[in-house]
Amino acid sequence: MSMRSTPEEAGEDPRRDLRYGLEEALDGELPQELAERMSAHTADCPECADEVERLRRLKELVRRSCCDTPAPSGLRDRIALQCRTVTVTSTDAAGTTVSVTRTSWRS
């Protein structure tokens, strides 16, 4: 599942450039309403339709090229760790920045 948020969740203008989540849309990882908006836009926008097709072909090429070779176990372990790690950074009114990183060790 993607860790990116939709524009609405991030407090952004939902009318902004929809290409921000193109990969997530192609992977079926976006909320249905947003995916439908993107699909409707793509139907009317040749530039975005070309971008969707380019990315779809790229994803298919990677899928075909990598399916016979398993990822090294060390790589899989590092990716799994990154998926369980979250860093939150905040700045207070005085300008002091604090970052807190937490890692869940549950798999």
Side-chain angles (χ1 to χ4, degrees):
M1 177 179 280
S2 174
M3 298 299 287
R4 296 181 196 171
S5 61
T6 64
E8 294 86 349
E9 292 169 337
E12 299 173 12
D13 183 352
R15 296 167 294 180
R16 76 180 194 108
D17 188 343
L18 293 176
R19 288 179 290 183
Y20 87 96
L22 193 52
E23 288 188 55
E24 289 87 349
L26 289 173
D27 292 338
E29 296 176 346
L30 290 182
Q32 183 176 356
E33 177 190 342
L34 184 55
E36 288 171 359
R37 282 180 50 218
M38 292 177 78
S39 180
H41 171 79
T42 302
D44 295 331
C45 178
E47 180 184 341
C48 290
D50 288 347
E51 182 68 14
V52 167
E53 186 57 28
R54 183 194 67 77
L55 188 55
R56 185 176 286 134
R57 286 185 203 166
L58 178 63
K59 290 173 100 31
E60 181 58 32
L61 176 63
V62 170
R63 214 178 341 268
R64 283 194 322 257
S65 299
C66 298
C67 66
D68 293 334
T69 306
S73 62
L75 174 61
R76 289 194 307 267
D77 292 344
R78 288 192 313 271
I79 291 171
L81 179 62
Q82 283 184 325
C83 289
R84 294 188 312 262
T85 302
V86 176
T87 299
V88 176
T89 302
S90 62
T91 305
D92 64 17
T96 304
T97 300
V98 176
S99 292
V100 176
T101 300
R102 296 192 87 187
T103 299
S104 167
W105 293 104
R106 290 179 267 144
S107 32

